[in-house]
Structures are given as structure tokens and as C-alpha cells.
Coordinates of all heavy atoms in Angstrom, one line a residue:
V1 N -8.5 10.8 14.5 CA -7.6 11.1 15.6 C -7.5 9.9 16.4 O -8.3 9.0 16.5 CB -8.1 12.3 16.5 CG1 -8.1 13.6 15.7 CG2 -9.5 12.0 17.0
S2 N -6.3 9.8 17.1 CA -6.0 8.7 18.0 C -5.9 9.3 19.4 O -5.1 10.1 19.7 CB -4.7 8.0 17.6 OG -4.4 7.1 18.6
L3 N -6.8 8.8 20.3 CA -6.8 9.3 21.7 C -6.7 8.0 22.6 O -7.6 7.8 23.4 CB -8.1 10.0 22.0 CG -8.4 11.2 21.1 CD1 -9.8 11.7 21.3 CD2 -7.4 12.3 21.3
N4 N -5.6 7.3 22.4 CA -5.5 6.0 23.0 C -4.9 6.0 24.5 O -4.5 4.9 24.9 CB -4.7 5.1 22.1 CG -3.4 5.6 21.7 OD1 -3.0 6.7 22.2 ND2 -2.7 4.9 20.9
S5 N -4.9 7.1 25.1 CA -4.4 7.1 26.5 C -5.1 8.3 27.3 O -5.7 9.2 26.7 CB -2.9 7.3 26.6 OG -2.6 8.7 26.3
I6 N -5.2 8.1 28.6 CA -5.9 9.1 29.4 C -5.2 10.5 29.2 O -5.8 11.5 29.1 CB -5.8 8.7 30.9 CG1 -6.7 7.5 31.1 CG2 -6.3 9.8 31.8 CD1 -6.6 6.8 32.4
D7 N -3.8 10.5 29.2 CA -3.1 11.8 29.1 C -3.4 12.4 27.7 O -3.5 13.7 27.7 CB -1.6 11.5 29.2 CG -1.2 11.2 30.7 OD1 -2.0 11.6 31.6 OD2 -0.2 10.5 30.9
K8 N -3.5 11.6 26.7 CA -3.8 12.1 25.4 C -5.2 12.8 25.3 O -5.4 13.8 24.7 CB -3.7 11.0 24.3 CG -2.6 11.2 23.3 CD -2.7 10.1 22.3 CE -1.8 10.4 21.1 NZ -1.7 9.4 20.1
V9 N -6.2 12.1 26.0 CA -7.5 12.6 26.0 C -7.6 14.0 26.7 O -8.2 15.0 26.2 CB -8.5 11.6 26.7 CG1 -9.9 12.3 27.0 CG2 -8.7 10.4 25.8
K10 N -6.9 14.1 27.9 CA -6.9 15.3 28.6 C -6.2 16.5 27.8 O -6.7 17.6 27.7 CB -6.1 15.2 29.9 CG -6.8 14.4 31.0 CD -5.9 14.5 32.3 CE -6.1 13.3 33.1 NZ -5.2 13.2 34.3
A11 N -5.1 16.2 27.2 CA -4.4 17.2 26.4 C -5.2 17.6 25.2 O -5.3 18.8 24.9 CB -3.0 16.6 25.9
F12 N -5.9 16.6 24.5 CA -6.8 16.9 23.4 C -7.9 17.8 23.8 O -8.1 18.8 23.1 CB -7.3 15.6 22.9 CG -8.4 15.7 21.8 CD1 -8.0 16.0 20.5 CD2 -9.7 15.6 22.1 CE1 -9.0 16.1 19.5 CE2 -10.7 15.7 21.1 CZ -10.3 16.0 19.8
V13 N -8.6 17.6 24.9 CA -9.7 18.4 25.3 C -9.2 19.8 25.6 O -9.8 20.8 25.2 CB -10.5 17.8 26.5 CG1 -11.5 18.7 27.1 CG2 -11.2 16.5 26.0
N14 N -8.1 19.9 26.3 CA -7.5 21.2 26.6 C -7.1 22.0 25.3 O -7.4 23.2 25.3 CB -6.2 21.1 27.5 CG -6.6 20.8 28.9 OD1 -7.7 21.1 29.4 ND2 -5.6 20.1 29.6
D15 N -6.6 21.3 24.4 CA -6.2 21.9 23.1 C -7.3 22.5 22.3 O -7.3 23.6 21.8 CB -5.4 21.0 22.2 CG -4.0 20.7 22.8 OD1 -3.5 21.5 23.7 OD2 -3.3 19.8 22.3
I16 N -8.4 21.7 22.2 CA -9.5 22.1 21.4 C -10.5 23.1 22.1 O -11.3 23.8 21.5 CB -10.3 21.0 20.8 CG1 -11.1 20.2 21.8 CG2 -9.4 20.1 19.9 CD1 -12.1 19.2 21.2
S17 N -10.4 23.1 23.4 CA -11.3 24.0 24.2 C -11.1 25.5 24.0 O -11.9 26.3 24.2 CB -11.2 23.7 25.7 OG -11.8 22.4 26.0
G18 N -9.9 25.8 23.5 CA -9.5 27.2 23.2 C -10.2 27.7 21.9 O -10.2 28.9 21.7
F19 N -10.8 26.8 21.1 CA -11.4 27.3 19.9 C -12.9 27.4 20.0 O -13.5 26.6 20.8 CB -11.1 26.2 18.8 CG -9.6 26.2 18.4 CD1 -8.9 25.1 18.8 CD2 -9.1 27.2 17.6 CE1 -7.5 25.1 18.5 CE2 -7.7 27.1 17.3 CZ -6.9 26.1 17.7
E20 N -13.5 28.3 19.3 CA -15.0 28.5 19.4 C -15.7 27.5 18.5 O -16.9 27.4 18.5 CB -15.4 29.9 19.1 CG -15.0 30.8 20.2 CD -15.6 32.2 20.0 OE1 -16.7 32.3 19.4 OE2 -15.1 33.1 20.6
A21 N -15.0 26.8 17.6 CA -15.6 25.9 16.7 C -16.2 24.7 17.5 O -15.9 24.5 18.6 CB -14.6 25.3 15.7
E22 N -17.2 24.0 16.8 CA -17.8 22.9 17.4 C -17.0 21.6 16.9 O -16.7 21.5 15.8 CB -19.3 22.8 17.0 CG -20.1 23.9 17.5 CD -20.3 23.9 19.0 OE1 -20.4 22.8 19.6 OE2 -20.2 24.9 19.7
F23 N -16.8 20.7 17.8 CA -16.1 19.4 17.5 C -17.0 18.3 18.0 O -17.4 18.2 19.1 CB -14.8 19.4 18.3 CG -13.8 20.5 18.0 CD1 -13.9 21.7 18.6 CD2 -12.9 20.3 17.0 CE1 -13.0 22.7 18.3 CE2 -12.0 21.3 16.7 CZ -12.0 22.5 17.4
D24 N -17.2 17.3 17.1 CA -17.9 16.0 17.4 C -17.0 14.9 17.1 O -16.3 14.8 16.1 CB -19.2 15.9 16.6 CG -20.3 16.8 17.1 OD1 -20.3 17.2 18.2 OD2 -21.2 17.1 16.3
L25 N -16.9 13.9 18.0 CA -16.3 12.6 17.8 C -17.3 11.6 17.4 O -18.4 11.5 18.0 CB -15.5 12.1 19.0 CG -14.3 12.9 19.4 CD1 -13.8 12.5 20.8 CD2 -13.2 12.6 18.3
V26 N -17.1 10.9 16.3 CA -18.0 10.0 15.7 C -17.4 8.6 15.7 O -16.4 8.3 15.1 CB -18.5 10.4 14.3 CG1 -19.5 9.4 13.8 CG2 -19.0 11.8 14.3
A27 N -18.0 7.7 16.5 CA -17.6 6.3 16.5 C -18.8 5.4 16.3 O -19.7 5.3 17.1 CB -16.9 5.9 17.8
G28 N -18.9 4.8 15.1 CA -20.1 4.1 14.7 C -21.3 4.9 14.7 O -21.4 6.0 14.0
R29 N -22.3 4.6 15.5 CA -23.5 5.4 15.6 C -23.5 6.4 16.7 O -24.5 7.1 17.0 CB -24.7 4.5 15.7 CG -24.8 3.6 16.9 CD -25.9 2.6 16.8 NE -25.8 1.6 17.9 CZ -26.7 1.6 18.9 NH1 -27.7 2.5 18.9 NH2 -26.6 0.8 19.9
Y30 N -22.4 6.5 17.5 CA -22.3 7.4 18.6 C -21.6 8.7 18.1 O -20.6 8.7 17.5 CB -21.5 6.8 19.7 CG -22.1 5.5 20.3 CD1 -21.6 4.3 19.9 CD2 -23.2 5.6 21.1 CE1 -22.2 3.1 20.4 CE2 -23.8 4.4 21.6 CZ -23.3 3.2 21.2 OH -23.9 2.1 21.7

């Protein structure tokens, strides 16, 4: 996924918060 702006991050979190599934973002060792 590309989350390269503040607005995109906010919209992304709002969109996935409606699901009961677990979501992890993985960047390198984080």
C-alpha cells in the first residue's frame, strides 16, 4: 500500500477500522 500523505493515512485508518480483521504494516523490521 501507498500511504504517502496525511489525508491518505486518515482515510486508510477509517476504511480498515470497520473490519474485524487484524491489519499489520511491515516496514523493514518494524
Side-chain angles (χ1 to χ4, degrees):
V1 294
S2 174
L3 304 172
N4 54 4
S5 73
I6 293 170
D7 291 334
K8 247 184 166 178
V9 169
K10 286 187 209 173
F12 172 79
V13 171
N14 284 336
D15 288 346
I16 67 168
S17 290
F19 294 104
E20 290 195 21
E22 295 293 320
F23 299 86
D24 285 336
L25 287 169
V26 181
R29 60 188 175 109
Y30 299 102

